[in-house]
Amino acid sequence: MEKSNDMTQEKFGEKDFQAIIGNLLRYGVWTSLSVAFIGGIVYLLNHSQEVENYSVFKENDRNIFEVISAVYNGAIQGRGESIIFSGIILLFLTPVFRVLLSLFSFILEKDYLYVVITTIVIGIIIMSISFGFSH
């Protein structure tokens, strides 16, 4: 008795997406940790003799695009604090990518209730990023 073509072709299913999402979260955290650790080493190599003055708080009131631009330019220049902040941004983006991947999964599964819910979550994330830095 032979199996039909439909039975032998394996569909890309929910378990595959769960494995991809799990790997995304796992490797995203490890990557961000590694980047921040390397940034910490670079920062300590360049600023190990300095004493930080914690009695003065300097508020940095810029929008998100200025912050990302400054971090990107600083990381390209090899500034340790910018490399650390790049690791923090990667850590923040890891669950955001998970939500985007879940949205793609729900679209493929034609589970439209969860497509709507996930789209609302993405909208909330975008609004919180936009308004959180521009108060």
Side-chain angles (χ1 to χ4, degrees):
M1 196 168 197
E2 291 183 32
K3 292 183 180 179
S4 69
N5 249 357
D6 294 337
M7 297 293 280
T8 58
Q9 286 183 344
E10 191 173 314
K11 282 188 168 184
F12 194 72
E14 184 178 343
K15 288 189 180 198
D16 297 322
F17 266 110
Q18 294 302 322
I20 291 171
I21 288 171
N23 286 334
L24 171 75
L25 293 173
R26 184 178 303 112
Y27 296 127
V29 169
W30 279 108
T31 302
S32 63
L33 176 67
S34 300
V35 169
F37 183 74
I38 290 168
I41 291 171
V42 169
Y43 183 80
L44 287 176
L45 289 174
N46 294 329
H47 301 281
S48 61
Q49 301 300 322
E50 295 178 10
V51 177
E52 190 66 37
N53 182 9
Y54 291 111
S55 64
V56 177
F57 178 73
K58 180 182 168 188
E59 186 174 352
N60 205 349
D61 198 16
R62 299 182 291 177
N63 70 28
I64 187 69
F65 301 111
E66 292 173 353
V67 170
I68 290 174
S69 175
V71 168
Y72 175 76
N73 291 329
I76 294 297
Q77 295 170 2
R79 294 178 46 216
E81 60 271 10
S82 294
I83 297 171
I84 293 170
F85 203 83
S86 297
I88 294 170
I89 290 173
L90 284 174
L91 186 63
F92 171 75
L93 288 177
T94 299
V96 173
F97 287 139
R98 186 241 189 267
V99 172
L100 290 172
L101 192 60
S102 295
L103 177 65
F104 183 67
S105 169
F106 296 140
I107 289 171
L108 286 180
E109 293 174 6
K110 295 181 170 86
D111 194 347
Y112 298 115
L113 174 64
Y114 285 108
V115 168
V116 170
I117 293 170
T118 307
T119 304
I120 291 170
V121 170
I122 291 170
I124 291 170
I125 290 170
I126 290 171
M127 285 179 49
S128 67
I129 291 170
S130 299
F131 295 127
F133 276 91
S134 60
H135 48 90

